[in-house]
């Protein structure tokens, strides 16, 4: 198939996926902002401690839906190596999704993706799963990363927490 034709097919499928995502959120009465031209929704939930802001991006080119939640702080420069070790410790126990870490900036982002390539059909249940599991994972770890960044938790305490 030609590149132009393939891009058109991918965009059509991406728009269908985006429509299902929006429909699921509306069905649940979820408050969110739509960015229809970019196939992105932005929203958030109140966690047990820190707020959880996130976006869901429907990426037509890569044929994936991505849940992304950037933590609302950065690891200070003197804690960035500890931050890298902590992200590895957290990721080791996560079965779906992972924390991405930029050691240059100290920024931590949680990412959970699912593909819709080929004949794959994504349903509302999958989007519910993505949002609830990703939000719960961010909620479990965000305050611990924050405490590590602020010196309120040692790296060994973080690792012990992640091993539980």
């Amino acid at each position: 198939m030609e590149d132009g034709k393939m891009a058109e097919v991918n965009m059509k499928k991406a728009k269908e996926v985006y429509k299902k995502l929006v429909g699921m959120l509306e069905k649940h009465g979820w408050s969110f902002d739509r960015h229809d031209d970019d196939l992105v929704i932005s929203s958030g939930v109140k966690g047990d401690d820190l707020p959880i802001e996130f976006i869901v991006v429907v990426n037509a080119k890569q044929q994936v839906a991505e849940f992304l939640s950037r933590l609302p702080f950065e690891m200070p420069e003197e804690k960035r190596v500890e931050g890298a070790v902590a992200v590895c410790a957290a990721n080791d126990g996560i079965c779906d999704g992972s924390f991405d870490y930029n050691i240059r900036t100290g920024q931590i982002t949680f990412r959970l993706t699912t593909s819709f390539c080929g004949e794959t059909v994504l349903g509302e249940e999958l989007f519910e799963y993505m949002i609830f599991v990703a939000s719960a994972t961010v909620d479990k770890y965000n305050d611990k990363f924050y405490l590590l960044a602020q010196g309120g938790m040692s790296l060994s305490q973080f690792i012990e927490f992640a091993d539980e």
Side-chain angles (χ1 to χ4, degrees):
M1 193 179 291
E2 297 174 26
D3 285 346
K5 192 76 142 166
M6 181 65 84
E8 186 179 317
V9 168
N10 289 353
M11 182 54 76
K12 181 179 180 196
K13 187 156 187 186
K15 286 180 179 180
E16 291 170 9
V17 168
Y18 179 75
K19 183 178 177 182
K20 283 185 185 179
L21 170 63
V22 168
M24 183 276 297
L25 293 169
E26 288 174 341
K27 182 173 117 180
H28 287 287
W30 201 299
S31 175
F32 64 98
D33 293 322
R34 295 174 64 151
H35 310 278
D36 295 344
D37 292 342
D38 299 320
L39 304 181
V40 173
I41 64 103
S42 56
S43 189
V45 295
K46 180 170 176 18
D48 289 337
D49 32 60
L50 298 173
I52 301 167
E53 300 294 323
F54 65 86
I55 63 171
V56 180
V57 178
V58 178
N59 184 321
K61 184 176 182 180
Q62 295 181 341
Q63 298 184 59
V64 295
E66 298 177 287
F67 174 102
L68 301 166
S69 179
R70 180 176 282 181
L71 301 190
F73 59 88
E74 295 174 351
M75 282 287 171
E77 197 165 336
E78 68 277 5
K79 295 273 191 179
R80 294 208 178 136
V81 172
E82 287 184 20
V85 174
V87 165
C88 288
N91 283 341
D92 189 51
I94 297 172
C95 67
D96 244 347
S98 63
F99 287 98
D100 296 338
Y101 184 62
N102 184 324
I103 199 160
R104 286 185 293 288
T105 65
Q107 185 62 62
I108 302 170
T109 303
F110 185 79
R111 174 193 317 266
L112 178 63
T113 62
T114 190
S115 173
F116 56 85
C117 66
E119 299 301 315
T120 304
V121 177
L122 304 184
E124 288 184 6
E125 295 83 13
L126 179 63
F127 290 121
E128 289 172 3
Y129 171 85
M130 283 182 75
I131 291 171
F132 291 125
V133 167
S135 295
T137 303
V138 172
D139 195 38
K140 177 180 178 180
Y141 285 100
N142 62 2
D143 62 319
K144 304 303 188 254
F145 282 123
Y146 181 75
L147 286 170
L148 180 66
Q150 299 303 309
M153 176 182 259
S154 70
L155 179 57
S156 60
Q157 288 172 315
F158 186 99
I159 292 170
E160 188 176 312
F161 168 79
D163 284 345
E164 292 176 354

